[in-house]
Amino acid sequence: TAADTAPATRAPTASTAPAAGPVGTIGAATLVGVDVKNSNGENIGEIKDVVVDGSGKATSIMLGTGGVLGLGERTVPVGWDQIRIMSDDAGKLQATTSLTKEQIEAMPEYTKDKGAWRAK
């Protein structure tokens, strides 16, 4: 019978948690609010925005750094190639950079003007 010769099918199995490791394609809005840590595990800021070029390729992130509860915070550009986005065992996004706090503090501050980021 046709049922006897039909290929066996399996229902897809659901994973209980996403695997840890590199992140695939995600939306830029998903990255906003993700904390960025340096190689010592210190929190050095939070992703405020993702900057893309004319072709839609991500070129940098805008990192909110310093300050307390948003007061005194500076926003600086960090090159996309200087950020590594990963997910932990629970699927939570994490961002790391090899930049030090001192290097971040030495970067020029940027502000958003009419939808574009500009040096202050």
Side-chain angles (χ1 to χ4, degrees):
T1 66
D4 293 333
T5 59
T9 59
R10 280 190 190 166
T13 57
S15 171
T16 57
V23 175
T25 304
I26 58 173
T30 305
L31 294 174
V32 173
V34 171
D35 289 333
V36 178
K37 296 184 178 187
N38 64 15
S39 56
N40 293 330
E42 300 167 315
N43 187 342
I44 59 168
E46 177 183 294
I47 297 175
K48 297 294 183 185
D49 204 354
V50 177
V51 178
V52 296
D53 64 15
S55 69
K57 180 180 177 186
T59 58
S60 59
I61 63 145
M62 300 308 292
L63 178 70
T65 185
V68 177
L69 300 174
L71 299 175
E73 182 178 76
R74 301 173 61 241
T75 302
V76 300
V78 175
W80 187 255
D81 60 342
Q82 295 177 308
I83 296 290
R84 183 171 179 200
I85 308 293
M86 302 285 287
S87 63
D88 65 14
D89 291 332
K92 182 179 177 187
L93 292 178
Q94 300 178 337
T96 58
T97 183
S98 61
L99 296 171
T100 66
K101 282 185 177 183
E102 293 77 18
Q103 289 171 312
I104 297 289
E105 289 170 2
M107 291 179 169
E109 183 175 0
Y110 275 56
T111 58
K112 201 165 194 176
D113 178 33
K114 298 178 185 171
W117 287 99
R118 303 187 194 290
K120 196 169 180 181

